[in-house]
Amino acid sequence: MRGLFLAVFALLIVAGDSGRFSPQLVHNASAVLNQSKAERQQVNSALAMLWDASMQGSEQGQSLLLSTFQNAYNTNFENNSINQEDASYWLEKLVRLENADAAWLLYQMLGEEGASKRFMRLAAIGDVAEAQLAFAMSSDSPEKREKWLVRAASQGYVPAQAALADWYLLHGKQQLAKPLLAATAELDMQSAFKYGRLLWDEENVDEAKIHFSRAAKLGHQQANRALSVINRYKQYSPSNLPTISWASVSSTASECLQRIQPFATSLATIIRADSLYNDFVKDTRLSSLPICIAPPIWLKNDVLSCSANFKKSGVLGCDVAPLAIAAKQREFSHAVVVSEQGKANVQNGVMYLDISDAYSVFVHELAHFSGFADEYPIGRGMARKLCDEDGIEDFVPPNVIVDSEYWYSPHSTVDKWLSIDPATIIAPAKTCMVLGKNSYKPSRRITFMEHHDSGVIPPLYLVLWREQLKKQNSQRPISMNFFQVFHQKGNQKEAAHWLEEYEAFVGE
């Protein structure tokens, strides 16, 4: 009965001019809305009172209207006395009063598809931090995005601070990102991890570990891997590496026809290198190949000079001269360098990868160490060397042939395929498409040499790979790379040493 009395009383107040005093309207509306079993008609009357108060400039009326709809939205409108249609109606009226919080709630309720971007913008202009962040991320303009991220972050809104820190990191502004990450590190695991990364790069090791541990406790997997790697690896210069026995790398060390040493250049890259190494150890597909890979070496930060556009080549590369000392000590024939960013490639016994390259990329590039050719369209320069019968006779990749005047070239490659598997199907490859020439491969399937992520290594390819590894003169070990580097630097003594190493490897 008390609820019914209040509802009737509220209606009388709305109807009478003398009862339109805004504080009284708010008081009476609150009394109705606080009733747990208020009927829909009673609630609508209360909302009308609050709107009347709002029209009179009552901030309390607007606030109570907004909180009523926010509570209903938070409970997914489970209370039948207020539905989404009613809420949308009153919120739109509040938006006309330029209520930024109402605009943001309406945008959330209607969703990106149903809401006008005007609601988001109005909320953002009204200093609703959530709306400012959403407005920033919806903009394609770098200037607008940064402007609204800054405005949202300046209000202490943690997601906006984290997003602005990411924006600064993306644009190489680590020092601007650092205070933002420091402010959010205790609340956001991603910020804690990234802050730890920055501290580590500044060689503030103890503080970095604290933040890695914090992120790991919050469930951050990369932070867990970082802590694991830090505990298992140390940083070295090439002149003070620990000794290694290739017999400890493989039980069949005498069959290590390729001895591969991975190198990492930072915390991020040692995490990636460690992952690639472990994936190779577990890869049963490649277990029959006489390839030995040692655990990665974590180099000190200033050892290698690398670039994503090394010598304007358009691909990742490094000055590998500092690795010559390590090669003399560890006697590896090939190296893998994991750097921060750049296009993966192989250059004379050195494979370059970046932290985004998947294990499938590593396997693809590993086949290049043994002379396999790409089965996707190669560049014009390489195509001119490979895609005619004379050129391919010089390179002799085990997986690609080209048209010749009478049949295919090289004939010996086709004979090899058929001797291994007489049922081999010779299928078109895309290798020489850039020159409009025909090339072929021994499989109809899309192999790992065409799409690395296909994961398909046909059995014939594994046999060819094993056979290719036995042909030392078909490979280009790192000694050739060292010879070229030292020759270009004018160090003829070192160049001569590495030329001898190369000739010994290939049997010349």
Side-chain angles (χ1 to χ4, degrees):
M1 292 298 294
R2 185 171 183 270
L4 178 60
F5 170 77
L6 288 172
V8 173
F9 182 66
L11 287 171
L12 290 173
I13 290 176
V14 172
D17 290 340
S18 62
R20 300 177 71 86
F21 182 53
S22 63
Q24 188 65 50
L25 289 169
V26 171
H27 174 77
N28 293 338
S30 298
V32 174
L33 294 174
N34 286 334
Q35 297 298 309
S36 59
K37 296 182 179 181
E39 298 292 334
R40 178 180 173 82
Q41 184 178 1
Q42 296 171 327
V43 171
N44 284 339
S45 298
L47 296 177
M49 294 182 210
L50 292 176
W51 171 246
D52 201 6
S54 299
M55 288 290 288
Q56 296 181 44
S58 170
E59 292 185 6
Q60 190 180 4
Q62 289 192 44
S63 177
L64 186 53
L65 261 180
L66 185 65
S67 64
T68 299
F69 300 130
Q70 183 70 65
N71 291 336
Y73 173 70
N74 290 343
T75 59
N76 199 26
F77 298 98
E78 291 179 358
N79 185 345
N80 292 329
S81 61
I82 297 178
N83 58 34
Q84 185 167 335
E85 185 179 354
D86 293 338
S88 299
Y89 170 78
W90 291 108
L91 286 171
E92 288 233 30
K93 293 174 78 67
L94 283 175
V95 168
R96 292 182 197 132
L97 298 181
E98 297 189 352
N99 186 304
D101 292 310
W104 178 239
L105 179 55
L106 188 57
Y107 182 84
Q108 290 178 293
M109 282 174 45
L110 299 180
E112 189 173 346
E113 295 295 326
S116 167
K117 196 172 182 179
R118 177 176 69 90
F119 298 145
M120 184 202 297
R121 184 176 184 276
L122 178 60
I125 292 173
D127 279 339
V128 178
E130 297 94 328
Q132 290 173 335
L133 174 58
F135 193 50
M137 302 312 292
S138 71
S139 176
D140 293 328
S141 165
E143 293 78 12
K144 284 185 178 180
R145 178 168 293 190
E146 184 170 339
K147 169 189 171 181
W148 287 103
L149 284 175
V150 169
R151 287 189 61 171
S154 67
Q155 298 194 63
Y157 184 47
V158 171
Q161 291 176 321
L164 181 59
D166 285 345
W167 178 260
Y168 285 144
L169 290 174
L170 180 65
H171 293 83
K173 300 178 181 179
Q174 280 80 2
Q175 291 310 306
L176 290 178
K178 188 176 177 182
L180 293 164
L181 294 174
T184 58
E186 293 191 11
L187 301 172
D188 176 60
M189 65 179 181
Q190 189 73 4
S191 295
F193 173 69
K194 291 176 180 177
Y195 188 46
R197 284 274 306 274
L198 288 179
L199 292 171
W200 185 273
D201 291 342
E202 294 174 353
E203 299 185 358
N204 191 344
V205 173
D206 293 335
E207 278 293 310
K209 287 181 179 179
I210 291 172
H211 286 87
F212 288 147
S213 296
R214 175 175 291 125
K217 288 178 182 177
L218 293 172
H220 198 281
Q221 293 184 356
Q222 284 181 286
N224 263 321
R225 286 195 289 268
L227 289 171
S228 173
V229 163
I230 289 169
N231 290 330
R232 289 184 290 114
Y233 291 94
K234 295 181 180 179
Q235 288 183 279
Y236 294 100
S237 62
S239 59
N240 69 345
L241 298 180
T243 58
I244 186 175
S245 166
W246 286 98
S248 67
V249 174
S250 171
S251 59
T252 57
S254 61
E255 298 180 10
C256 290
L257 300 182
Q258 281 182 355
R259 299 184 301 278
I260 301 173
Q261 178 62 68
F263 291 93
T265 55
S266 66
L267 176 58
T269 58
I270 188 61
I271 293 172
R272 191 76 201 103
D274 179 65
S275 176
L276 294 171
Y277 168 73
N278 288 322
D279 285 344
F280 174 81
V281 171
K282 298 173 186 175
D283 192 344
T284 57
R285 298 173 305 168
L286 308 183
S287 59
S288 65
L289 299 178
I291 296 173
C292 298
I293 301 183
I297 292 172
W298 187 0
L299 295 172
K300 291 186 176 179
N301 295 343
D302 58 352
V303 171
L304 288 182
S305 175
C306 302
S307 169
N309 186 23
F310 189 65
K311 295 183 177 180
K312 298 181 179 180
S313 63
V315 296
L316 176 61
C318 308
D319 179 0
V320 296
L323 300 183
I325 298 173
K328 288 179 180 179
Q329 179 185 339
R330 289 209 162 195
E331 297 182 335
F332 52 85
S333 61
H334 296 71
V336 177
V337 177
V338 185
S339 190
E340 295 290 337
Q341 61 178 358
K343 184 178 179 181
N345 67 100
V346 164
Q347 292 292 330
N348 288 333
V350 181
M351 181 194 305
Y352 296 102
L353 301 172
D354 76 8
I355 54 177
S356 67
D357 286 322
Y359 176 68
S360 58
V361 177
F362 171 75
V363 174
H364 175 97
E365 300 297 335
L366 194 61
H368 282 318
F369 272 167
S370 297
F372 279 75
D374 290 317
E375 294 171 0
Y376 56 76
I378 62 176
R380 190 173 296 273
M382 179 58 72
R384 289 196 184 101
K385 299 177 181 178
L386 183 64
C387 295
D388 63 60
E389 56 182 301
D390 294 329
I392 203 165
E393 288 286 355
D394 294 331
F395 284 89
V396 197
N399 62 315
V400 171
I401 57 175
V402 298
D403 271 335
S404 69
E405 184 177 355
Y406 300 107
W407 195 36
Y408 300 115
S409 182
H411 299 292
S412 58
T413 301
V414 181
D415 291 341
K416 172 66 72 176
W417 294 349
L418 296 175
S419 68
I420 296 171
D421 182 3
T424 296
I425 296 174
I426 298 175
K430 299 177 182 178
T431 305
C432 301
M433 285 181 65
V434 69
L435 298 182
K437 294 187 175 182
N438 296 325
S439 56
Y440 306 90
K441 59 182 181 176
S443 176
R444 284 180 176 172
R445 305 177 73 181
I446 296 175
T447 79
F448 75 122
M449 294 311 297
E450 182 174 354
H451 289 299
H452 64 81
D453 54 356
S454 74
V456 177
I457 307 178
L460 175 61
Y461 281 59
L462 289 172
V463 177
L464 293 171
W465 201 338
R466 284 195 298 272
E467 292 297 317
Q468 195 75 359
L469 285 165
K470 297 175 183 178
K471 302 175 182 177
Q472 301 288 81
N473 60 356
S474 68
Q475 303 176 45
R476 290 292 181 269
I478 196 171
S479 50
M480 173 53 68
N481 208 313
F482 289 142
F483 163 72
Q484 293 174 339
V485 167
F486 286 112
H487 180 70
Q488 291 169 1
K489 291 177 180 289
N491 188 337
Q492 300 309 322
K493 181 179 179 181
E494 279 295 297
H497 168 80
W498 290 110
L499 181 59
E500 288 180 8
E501 290 290 320
Y502 170 75
E503 290 173 346
F505 183 89
V506 300
E508 293 182 358

PDB file of all heavy atoms in Angstrom, residues 243-251 253 277 295:
ATOM      1  N   THR A 243      82.498 -23.835 -23.553  1.00  0.00           N
ATOM      2  CA  THR A 243      82.832 -24.860 -24.543  1.00  0.00           C
ATOM      3  C   THR A 243      81.625 -25.758 -24.800  1.00  0.00           C
ATOM      4  O   THR A 243      80.706 -25.835 -23.982  1.00  0.00           O
ATOM      5  CB  THR A 243      84.013 -25.705 -24.064  1.00  0.00           C
ATOM      6  OG1 THR A 243      83.669 -26.300 -22.804  1.00  0.00           O
ATOM      7  CG2 THR A 243      85.264 -24.843 -23.893  1.00  0.00           C
ATOM      8  N   ILE A 244      81.679 -26.443 -25.926  1.00  0.00           N
ATOM      9  CA  ILE A 244      80.587 -27.335 -26.286  1.00  0.00           C
ATOM     10  C   ILE A 244      81.154 -28.572 -26.943  1.00  0.00           C
ATOM     11  O   ILE A 244      82.167 -28.521 -27.661  1.00  0.00           O
ATOM     12  CB  ILE A 244      79.583 -26.644 -27.243  1.00  0.00           C
ATOM     13  CG1 ILE A 244      78.363 -27.554 -27.488  1.00  0.00           C
ATOM     14  CG2 ILE A 244      80.244 -26.281 -28.552  1.00  0.00           C
ATOM     15  CD1 ILE A 244      77.274 -26.907 -28.315  1.00  0.00           C
ATOM     16  N   SER A 245      80.534 -29.685 -26.695  1.00  0.00           N
ATOM     17  CA  SER A 245      80.859 -30.925 -27.393  1.00  0.00           C
ATOM     18  C   SER A 245      79.660 -31.280 -28.257  1.00  0.00           C
ATOM     19  O   SER A 245      78.541 -31.414 -27.745  1.00  0.00           O
ATOM     20  CB  SER A 245      81.138 -32.047 -26.388  1.00  0.00           C
ATOM     21  OG  SER A 245      81.134 -33.297 -27.040  1.00  0.00           O
ATOM     22  N   TRP A 246      79.885 -31.404 -29.555  1.00  0.00           N
ATOM     23  CA  TRP A 246      78.758 -31.727 -30.431  1.00  0.00           C
ATOM     24  C   TRP A 246      78.195 -33.112 -30.114  1.00  0.00           C
ATOM     25  O   TRP A 246      77.047 -33.413 -30.430  1.00  0.00           O
ATOM     26  CB  TRP A 246      79.162 -31.603 -31.898  1.00  0.00           C
ATOM     27  CG  TRP A 246      79.294 -30.163 -32.290  1.00  0.00           C
ATOM     28  CD1 TRP A 246      80.436 -29.433 -32.368  1.00  0.00           C
ATOM     29  CD2 TRP A 246      78.219 -29.263 -32.602  1.00  0.00           C
ATOM     30  NE1 TRP A 246      80.166 -28.127 -32.705  1.00  0.00           N
ATOM     31  CE2 TRP A 246      78.797 -27.997 -32.859  1.00  0.00           C
ATOM     32  CE3 TRP A 246      76.842 -29.392 -32.675  1.00  0.00           C
ATOM     33  CZ2 TRP A 246      78.041 -26.876 -33.199  1.00  0.00           C
ATOM     34  CZ3 TRP A 246      76.078 -28.279 -33.006  1.00  0.00           C
ATOM     35  CH2 TRP A 246      76.670 -27.047 -33.264  1.00  0.00           C
ATOM     36  N   ALA A 247      79.010 -33.931 -29.444  1.00  0.00           N
ATOM     37  CA  ALA A 247      78.496 -35.234 -29.004  1.00  0.00           C
ATOM     38  C   ALA A 247      77.400 -35.068 -27.963  1.00  0.00           C
ATOM     39  O   ALA A 247      76.509 -35.911 -27.831  1.00  0.00           O
ATOM     40  CB  ALA A 247      79.637 -36.075 -28.443  1.00  0.00           C
ATOM     41  N   SER A 248      77.463 -33.946 -27.208  1.00  0.00           N
ATOM     42  CA  SER A 248      76.423 -33.685 -26.212  1.00  0.00           C
ATOM     43  C   SER A 248      75.155 -33.144 -26.863  1.00  0.00           C
ATOM     44  O   SER A 248      74.077 -33.202 -26.273  1.00  0.00           O
ATOM     45  CB  SER A 248      76.931 -32.686 -25.170  1.00  0.00           C
ATOM     46  OG  SER A 248      77.128 -31.404 -25.760  1.00  0.00           O
ATOM     47  N   VAL A 249      75.287 -32.617 -28.072  1.00  0.00           N
ATOM     48  CA  VAL A 249      74.132 -32.093 -28.797  1.00  0.00           C
ATOM     49  C   VAL A 249      73.354 -33.227 -29.434  1.00  0.00           C
ATOM     50  O   VAL A 249      72.124 -33.223 -29.486  1.00  0.00           O
ATOM     51  CB  VAL A 249      74.577 -31.078 -29.873  1.00  0.00           C
ATOM     52  CG1 VAL A 249      73.404 -30.633 -30.736  1.00  0.00           C
ATOM     53  CG2 VAL A 249      75.251 -29.885 -29.212  1.00  0.00           C
ATOM     54  N   SER A 250      74.103 -34.224 -29.937  1.00  0.00           N
ATOM     55  CA  SER A 250      73.458 -35.344 -30.607  1.00  0.00           C
ATOM     56  C   SER A 250      74.222 -36.617 -30.300  1.00  0.00           C
ATOM     57  O   SER A 250      75.456 -36.622 -30.245  1.00  0.00           O
ATOM     58  CB  SER A 250      73.416 -35.112 -32.128  1.00  0.00           C
ATOM     59  OG  SER A 250      72.990 -36.263 -32.800  1.00  0.00           O
ATOM     60  N   SER A 251      73.493 -37.702 -30.116  1.00  0.00           N
ATOM     61  CA  SER A 251      74.131 -38.993 -29.856  1.00  0.00           C
ATOM     62  C   SER A 251      74.845 -39.509 -31.085  1.00  0.00           C
ATOM     63  O   SER A 251      75.666 -40.421 -31.004  1.00  0.00           O
ATOM     64  CB  SER A 251      73.081 -40.012 -29.393  1.00  0.00           C
ATOM     65  OG  SER A 251      72.077 -40.163 -30.392  1.00  0.00           O
ATOM     66  N   ALA A 253      76.811 -37.532 -33.171  1.00  0.00           N
ATOM     67  CA  ALA A 253      77.534 -36.320 -33.554  1.00  0.00           C
ATOM     68  C   ALA A 253      78.386 -36.518 -34.796  1.00  0.00           C
ATOM     69  O   ALA A 253      78.614 -35.584 -35.564  1.00  0.00           O
ATOM     70  CB  ALA A 253      78.413 -35.851 -32.390  1.00  0.00           C
ATOM     71  N   TYR A 277      64.430 -23.616 -30.793  1.00  0.00           N
ATOM     72  CA  TYR A 277      65.305 -24.747 -30.493  1.00  0.00           C
ATOM     73  C   TYR A 277      64.507 -25.912 -29.902  1.00  0.00           C
ATOM     74  O   TYR A 277      64.654 -27.063 -30.329  1.00  0.00           O
ATOM     75  CB  TYR A 277      66.398 -24.301 -29.515  1.00  0.00           C
ATOM     76  CG  TYR A 277      67.185 -25.436 -28.919  1.00  0.00           C
ATOM     77  CD1 TYR A 277      68.114 -26.142 -29.685  1.00  0.00           C
ATOM     78  CD2 TYR A 277      66.991 -25.812 -27.594  1.00  0.00           C
ATOM     79  CE1 TYR A 277      68.830 -27.209 -29.139  1.00  0.00           C
ATOM     80  CE2 TYR A 277      67.703 -26.864 -27.045  1.00  0.00           C
ATOM     81  CZ  TYR A 277      68.622 -27.561 -27.820  1.00  0.00           C
ATOM     82  OH  TYR A 277      69.319 -28.611 -27.284  1.00  0.00           O
ATOM     83  N   PRO A 295      72.018 -25.539 -28.317  1.00  0.00           N
ATOM     84  CA  PRO A 295      71.187 -24.540 -27.629  1.00  0.00           C
ATOM     85  C   PRO A 295      71.647 -23.134 -28.006  1.00  0.00           C
ATOM     86  O   PRO A 295      72.835 -22.903 -28.265  1.00  0.00           O
ATOM     87  CB  PRO A 295      71.447 -24.827 -26.144  1.00  0.00           C
ATOM     88  CG  PRO A 295      71.871 -26.256 -26.108  1.00  0.00           C
ATOM     89  CD  PRO A 295      72.649 -26.469 -27.369  1.00  0.00           C
TER      90      PRO A 295
END
